[in-house]
Amino acid sequence: MFYYLNGTVTVLEANLAVIDVGGVGYACHTTAYTLSQLQLGKPCKLFTYCYIKEEAFDIFGFATREEQNLFLRLLAVSGVGPKAALSILSAVTPDQFILAVVTGDEKTLMLAQGVGKKMAQRILLELKDKLTGTLPGQDGAAPVPLAAAAPGGKATEAAAALAALGYSQSEIGLALKGVDVEHLSVEEIVRAGLRAMVKQ
């Protein structure tokens, strides 16, 4: 239907942005992250998803293709509808969501309103391999196959999380060099890698 909307922001409310395109105001359901990227009266471009049912035509808008892709991946999980997907992506940023899935952090997903333990576990089960195996493309770029940056399961998962956050494999290799991957958890390895990135 609509691939994106390119216009001027005229209304900003909780989980809602209205974009004026050629004199027509399009109401877009959106996330806290996308709202934080918008300013009243300023031009913007939102990537969209149209949800059509018998008595409704809802538009969901996202500031980046990455967030739009994560929304679509969530909709592919059994039992997750647009409202739940929007709630999850409003509770955490795209980077935090990817990190939570890759590291199996169900508590972070449960921060979203309406998401219980069973739904969080189902999301982790169905999306972990998909988000660990590839680096989401930026602005429509094709996914990049992810190779292990270091031997061992935990190091591979940590490398996948860092790649999903946008770091190159050379950067990841340098960041994880010297990290005690044997005794740290995946989340601790990722945090150590992020600290090393800042110093590079």
Side-chain angles (χ1 to χ4, degrees), residues 15 29-36 49 60-75 80-101 108-113 115 123 127 131:
N15 296 119
H29 303 283
T30 190
T31 66
Y33 174 79
T34 287
L35 287 173
S36 72
Y49 168 79
F60 295 82
F62 307 94
T64 65
R65 278 295 312 277
E66 178 190 27
E67 191 179 31
Q68 181 200 42
N69 286 336
L70 293 177
F71 180 79
L72 295 176
R73 285 189 182 275
L74 278 166
L75 292 185
V80 178
K83 288 185 178 179
L86 202 67
S87 177
I88 291 168
L89 294 176
S90 286
V92 295
T93 66
D95 288 353
Q96 289 170 335
F97 174 74
I98 292 170
L99 182 58
V101 172
T108 292
L109 299 183
M110 290 169 63
L111 293 174
Q113 184 176 359
V115 177
I123 291 169
L127 293 187
L131 294 185

Side-chain angles (χ1 to χ4, degrees), residues 99-186:
L99 182 58
V101 172
V102 172
T103 60
D105 182 4
E106 65 184 44
K107 290 183 180 178
T108 292
L109 299 183
M110 290 169 63
L111 293 174
Q113 184 176 359
V115 177
K117 187 167 185 174
K118 288 185 178 179
M119 181 180 288
Q121 289 176 336
R122 191 160 58 246
I123 291 169
L124 295 178
L125 178 65
E126 296 191 28
L127 293 187
K128 185 171 184 178
D129 288 342
K130 294 177 182 177
L131 294 185
T132 300
T134 60
L135 167 61
Q138 298 295 322
D139 292 328
V144 179
L146 180 67
K154 288 191 294 184
T156 300
E157 287 190 32
L162 290 169
L165 295 176
Y167 294 103
S168 69
Q169 293 192 34
S170 60
E171 289 174 322
I172 294 167
L174 289 173
L176 295 185
K177 188 176 181 180
V179 175
D180 186 3
V181 297
E182 186 176 343
H183 297 98
L184 297 178
S185 68
V186 172

Side-chain angles (χ1 to χ4, degrees), residues 30-45:
T30 190
T31 66
Y33 174 79
T34 287
L35 287 173
S36 72
Q37 310 297 306
L38 305 178
Q39 290 183 307
L40 280 173
K42 299 290 185 180
C44 80
K45 181 178 182 179

